[in-house]
Amino acid sequence: MSEDPGVLRRHLDRERRARQAAETIAEEKTREAFQANESLKRLNEDLERQVAERTAELRAARDEAVAAQKELQRSNAELENFAYSVSHDLREPLRMVHSYLELIRHRANADLPPQVADYLDRAIHTTERMQGMVRGLLEYARVTTHGSPPAPVSADACVKAAVENLELGLEEARVSITRDPLPAVCADSEQLARLFQNLISNAVKYRHPGRRPAIHVAARKRDDGMASFRVSDNGRGLAAEDKERAFQLFQRPGDNTAIDGTGIGLAVCKRMVERHGGSIDVESTPGEGATFCFTLPLAEGDAAEGGSAAG
Amino acid sequence: MKGIVFTEFTAFVEGRAGLDTLDRIIDAAVGESGGAYTALGTYNHREMLGLVDALATETGQTPEALMTAFGEHLFHRFAEMNPAFVAGLDHPFPFLEQVETYIHMEVRKLYPDAELPTIATERPDAATLCVTYRSRRPFAALAHGLVEGCLDHFGAPVTLRAREDLPGEGPGTAARFTLVAEGGG
Ligand code: HEM
Ligand SMILES: Nc1ncnc2c1ncn2[C@@H]1O[C@H](COP(=O)(O)OP(=O)(O)OP(=O)(O)O)[C@@H](O)[C@H]1O
Ligand SMILES: [Mg+2]
């Protein structure tokens, strides 16, 4: 400590000013902290409001999407019912037209000038084609309007049923069919049999002229709960640019002048597979054969086992 | 420069040389209206250089020697005020290695306007630590004192083998301190 009162007084004065400065700074900091806190609060409120707004917007958008989806489902169903009733109701008058034309041919054939007889033949043939188309359309519409709910079913049994239905044709063409053990899937069993039947009959229909038809059916269990099936043949195959069209209704790409058909089979297959949540595709080397691959959900028990069925 | 350095300096001068000397050097360096330092404030670092110069004139010692002595004192005070920084360590090497990466980092969080140097370290071998000070301000002597204070604090057998001034932004803005642990790392 100093003895000099002047020194002490100045020291005291400095200390006092330092304290005032400290207080001013402390006050300033407190105000800053308060304001920072206030603006944080505002920011927070702002954010909460924005989140609420955004949530409301999203909810409204979702409701709208759900409504649109429902509307789409409704109009789809309406269209399917319409296609079904139209094709259903067209059958009868078409059958009548066909019958009368046949009757005319039967009764008057000998008296008809050759040109008119030719027109009549063409009219009858066209009517038959139309009947085939209407039948196909009806079958196509029925996939969704008249399907049974999917249930566990043995794919083996469905292939067997398909082969039995085709028996005559298969024997005639001396077809060899082999199959691996197939898993159980969750499907409409009638439709699954129909699916195999369409694919196998195509394999025979579009066979290679120089080979005895051989068909093999294989399947593999996938990790995602789906079974993937492969129906392979050694037929004429199809060109890459025809693959997509082959699955479209009434489309018959390729040279089919000598082969009857309406272009319905694969469209029905695709619709059935998609109705079960699967997809269908074709791999082919033209001239060597084609392999149709499709997926279907595995039945509960078979899915749990995992791994692969023989394949 | 943060007020804490100034309040520690005035306490250092008062403790070593008395209130009369402190009164005179403040008067000589910053005049009668200045010298009212608070730890919460921030002051021009030149004021610190002025105070040390005035103390040199008063005592006949070099400003260098006085700044270093103050640095040594300041280290002990820093360690006292921030026990967490030195806790758990028993050797100056690991401590000095985290001044840049931890301690001064914490200082900057607390005082965004702090003017801090860079304190780089390097171990050429297990027993040697090189501490390199670089700053825009000429406080190499203060760093020197802080290093001495650090060695003193830990009491480990480490000596300051060499202090080498490096070219920097002006005299006293860069220096390298070579520390050697006796008996190998
Ligand atoms: C517990 C340990 C330490 C603490 C809490 C600490 C904290 C601080 C603080 C608060 C400042 C003032 C910043 C400003 O003026 O804005 C400072 C500056 C400084 N520190 Fe540290 N420090 C420590 C250790 C060290 C050590 C060990 C060294 C040296 C190797 C060092 C070198 C310096 C130097 C040289 C300056 C000021 C010079 C300049 O501005 O260039 N510090 N430190
Ligand atoms: N196994 C196959 N090999 C080669 N081409 C095929 C095979 N299966 C189908 N295709 C091609 O895809 C087209 C469409 O087949 P899809 O089964 O849909 O109709 P279709 O057999 O012509 O008539 P439908 O089955 O309705 O009687 C066929 O015309 C044929 O060109
Ligand atoms: Mg077909």
Side-chain angles (χ1 to χ4, degrees):
Chain A
M1 270 292 145
S2 173
E3 302 286 302
D4 183 345
V7 171
L8 288 176
R9 207 192 50 245
R10 282 197 297 280
H11 182 63
L12 185 65
D13 179 51
R14 277 197 301 271
E15 289 300 316
R16 195 177 289 134
R17 279 185 287 128
R19 202 194 63 216
Q20 282 164 358
E23 282 163 356
T24 310
I25 293 167
E27 223 178 275
E28 180 65 23
K29 294 275 173 226
T30 311
R31 197 173 309 125
E32 267 172 29
F34 175 76
Q35 273 158 7
N37 197 30
E38 284 294 290
S39 54
L40 262 179
K41 241 193 267 168
R42 263 199 306 278
L43 192 70
N44 202 22
E45 283 165 8
D46 232 41
L47 274 174
E48 269 168 23
R49 195 175 42 71
Q50 279 180 25
V51 167
E53 276 175 19
R54 201 68 197 105
T55 311
E57 275 171 32
L58 285 174
R59 201 169 286 144
R62 192 201 52 201
D63 291 350
E64 230 169 82
V66 168
Q69 162 92 3
K70 274 213 186 100
E71 172 56 23
L72 199 69
Q73 272 169 1
R74 197 194 55 74
S75 74
N76 261 346
E78 203 169 80
L79 211 67
E80 275 159 11
N81 286 329
F82 174 73
Y84 175 75
S85 345
V86 167
S87 43
H88 185 267
D89 295 352
L90 277 177
R91 270 195 316 184
E92 192 47 29
L94 208 53
R95 200 182 59 75
M96 296 289 279
V97 171
H98 188 255
S99 302
Y100 283 122
L101 289 174
E102 286 281 18
L103 212 61
I104 294 171
R105 184 159 66 183
H106 189 70
R107 291 268 172 92
N109 206 18
D111 311 329
L112 290 175
Q115 171 122 60
V116 178
D118 181 47
Y119 289 160
L120 189 59
D121 281 348
R122 285 177 191 234
I124 291 174
H125 180 77
T126 306
T127 317
E128 281 166 358
R129 236 185 49 153
M130 203 165 158
Q131 279 179 310
M133 288 171 89
V134 168
R135 209 180 311 115
L137 197 59
L138 191 60
E139 189 186 338
Y140 184 80
R142 283 178 68 104
V143 171
T144 48
T145 53
H146 289 62
S148 312
V153 48
S154 144
D156 270 316
C158 294
V159 174
K160 235 184 251 163
V163 170
E164 270 163 28
N165 278 343
L166 293 168
E167 195 131 43
L168 275 178
L170 297 181
E171 262 168 34
E172 202 175 294
R174 297 175 52 245
V175 180
S176 112
I177 298 192
T178 52
R179 95 178 111 86
D180 294 335
L182 305 175
V185 291
C186 186
D188 174 339
S189 62
E190 235 172 90
Q191 291 193 353
L192 184 51
R194 183 81 209 172
L195 177 60
F196 283 119
Q197 188 176 323
N198 286 359
L199 294 179
I200 293 170
S201 76
N202 278 349
V204 178
K205 236 162 102 171
Y206 304 104
R207 63 177 173 260
H208 194 278
R211 285 195 286 267
R212 182 179 158 195
I215 301 167
H216 183 72
V217 184
R220 191 173 60 80
K221 292 182 194 173
R222 292 199 322 204
D223 289 344
D224 61 357
M226 301 294 278
S228 105
F229 291 88
R230 297 172 67 82
V231 178
S232 317
D233 63 47
N234 60 350
R236 71 177 199 197
L238 71 176
E241 67 267 24
D242 290 341
K243 288 180 181 174
E244 214 181 305
R245 265 182 66 209
F247 290 98
Q248 287 168 8
L249 197 61
F250 300 135
Q251 296 294 318
R252 308 189 67 218
D255 176 16
N256 293 325
T257 39
I259 307 169
D260 264 358
T262 36
I264 294 274
L266 288 180
V268 167
C269 289
K270 184 170 153 72
R271 201 164 161 84
M272 290 191 296
V273 169
E274 284 173 357
R275 179 190 162 226
H276 288 82
S279 60
I280 185 164
D281 204 355
V282 60
E283 298 162 5
S284 175
T285 309
E288 287 182 19
T291 298
F292 286 82
C293 319
F294 63 90
T295 57
L296 287 176
L298 281 161
E300 290 286 306
D302 254 11
E305 282 169 32
S308 85
Chain B
M1 180 168 266
K2 296 310 296 179
I4 184 82
V5 184
F6 285 83
T7 55
E8 285 306 324
F9 181 77
T10 54
F12 169 73
V13 173
E14 190 183 340
R16 300 271 171 109
L19 199 51
D20 292 328
T21 306
L22 176 63
D23 188 53
R24 277 195 298 280
I25 67 162
I26 286 176
D27 195 33
V30 291
E32 195 161 340
S33 63
Y37 302 114
T38 153
L40 295 179
T42 303
Y43 309 90
N44 192 320
H45 71 273
R46 287 199 194 83
E47 225 168 292
M48 177 57 65
L49 297 172
L51 288 166
V52 174
D53 282 346
L55 185 60
T57 311
E58 185 78 19
T59 60
Q61 289 179 264
T62 63
E64 274 281 302
L66 289 167
M67 186 69 94
T68 302
F70 168 56
E72 206 172 331
H73 165 85
L74 186 61
F75 184 87
H76 288 294
R77 291 287 299 135
F78 275 165
E80 243 173 80
M81 291 184 286
N82 307 278
F85 290 147
V86 290
L89 296 174
D90 58 1
H91 199 275
F93 284 8
F95 174 84
L96 288 167
E97 281 169 334
Q98 61 176 22
V99 170
E100 175 76 15
T101 54
Y102 171 50
I103 297 173
H104 279 177
M105 212 87 113
E106 291 297 309
V107 170
R108 192 178 298 291
K109 280 190 214 163
L110 211 55
Y111 310 110
D113 62 343
E115 299 179 315
L116 291 160
T118 62
I119 307 291
T121 56
E122 188 192 347
R123 288 210 205 197
D125 59 67
T128 312
L129 182 76
C130 290
V131 178
T132 306
Y133 162 85
R134 283 186 187 280
S135 176
R136 312 255 291 272
R137 299 160 295 282
F139 285 95
L142 184 70
H144 185 162
L146 284 161
V147 169
E148 296 271 23
C150 174
L151 298 188
D152 186 50
H153 172 88
F154 286 100
V158 175
T159 49
L160 176 54
R161 174 74 49 87
R163 168 182 166 180
E164 187 191 341
D165 287 313
L166 306 174
E169 303 202 9
T173 58
R176 179 182 302 126
F177 308 96
T178 306
L179 309 180
V180 180
E182 315 286 313

